[in-house]
Amino acid sequence: MDVAKAIKKRRSIRHFQSKPIPKDFEEKLIEALLWAPSAGNLQSRKFYLVKDKTVKEKLVNLALYQSFVLEAPLVIVACADSRIKRRYSQRGRNLYSICDTAVSIENLMLQATELGLGSCWVGSFDEDKIKEILTIPDYLKPIAVIPIGFLAEKPEAPPRAKKEEVIEYK
Ligand SMILES: Cc1cc2nc3c(=O)[nH]c(=O)nc-3n(C[C@H](O)[C@H](O)[C@H](O)COP(=O)(O)O)c2cc1C
């Protein structure tokens, strides 16, 4: 699939089949996470891959009961690593580490699309409770919970802003 097609085909998917993700697909998703750009190539990010049903249930409870998270065979919790501040101080911690994590997530979602998998960036959750459940160290900040699996729905594309609203030539 060419990149332009994957960009437009990717949708936020909120219903999944229970079918597991093949191991070679999972490896491609991991590669997509690893190969994203990052500030100073410090790769200030970490990803927890959750497959355990009990852990997923806990994630649903602290993600405002967004129950579709439990439907997905794989749930990735993406975290920004604040240790980047050793090199880039507050801007590194408050911005670059979050950018590093976000670009990995977009890579992941596009790769998932190419593999025929659906995903959704879930940003509403209780950050402290996620850290507690997954025993995430203090220097990591959970940015997104991303359920991934084969699609059980094909939603229409939500509208986008008009080009004139978002793009300005100078
Ligand atoms: C930072 C961020 C947080 C989001 N949080 C949620 C969320 O908590 N729950 C959810 O169902 N979708 C969430 N989304 C997905 C958006 O609702 C979705 O991307 C948007 O409606 C556009 O639809 P599309 O992804 O199908 O193009 C989030 C997306 C982003 C980028």
Side-chain angles (χ1 to χ4, degrees), residues 10-12 14 66 68 120-124 158 160:
R10 183 211 56 79
R11 288 276 67 73
S12 290
R14 299 183 179 90
Q66 300 190 76
F68 61 88
C120 185
W121 180 317
V122 172
S124 315
R160 257 37 187 184

Side-chain angles (χ1 to χ4, degrees), residues 9-137:
K9 197 173 176 213
R10 183 211 56 79
R11 288 276 67 73
S12 290
I13 298 302
R14 299 183 179 90
H15 287 292
F16 300 94
Q17 300 174 31
S18 54
K19 191 168 132 185
I21 296 174
K23 194 68 195 157
D24 55 326
F25 282 24
E26 190 179 307
E27 286 306 316
K28 283 190 172 172
L29 295 174
I30 292 170
E31 289 292 298
L33 288 170
L34 295 181
W35 279 92
S38 67
N41 197 27
L42 292 182
Q43 304 163 55
S44 301
R45 50 202 173 206
K46 173 147 181 176
F47 305 95
Y48 293 87
L49 272 62
V50 179
K51 295 183 182 180
D52 183 271
K53 188 166 176 267
T54 317
V55 180
K56 282 194 271 177
E57 275 166 357
K58 287 182 184 166
L59 290 178
V60 167
N61 292 341
L62 53 83
L64 306 182
Y65 302 96
Q66 300 190 76
S67 55
F68 61 88
V69 171
L70 185 58
E71 291 179 22
L74 174 65
V75 180
I76 297 182
V77 177
C79 301
D81 188 333
S82 67
R83 290 176 298 177
I84 192 175
K85 75 170 188 274
R86 287 182 204 147
R87 165 108 59 107
Y88 291 121
S89 74
Q90 289 313 312
R91 190 166 170 81
R93 194 180 74 131
N94 299 335
L95 181 64
Y96 297 166
S97 67
I98 292 165
C99 297
D100 284 8
T101 313
V103 277
S104 275
I105 298 170
E106 179 66 358
N107 261 16
L108 169 80
M109 295 193 298
L110 292 177
Q111 177 62 83
T113 304
E114 202 245 352
L115 293 168
L117 298 167
S119 64
C120 185
W121 180 317
V122 172
S124 315
F125 53 77
D126 184 323
E127 208 176 296
D128 292 334
K129 288 205 178 117
I130 288 211
K131 290 184 80 158
E132 200 181 302
I133 283 165
L134 300 178
T135 54
I136 295 177

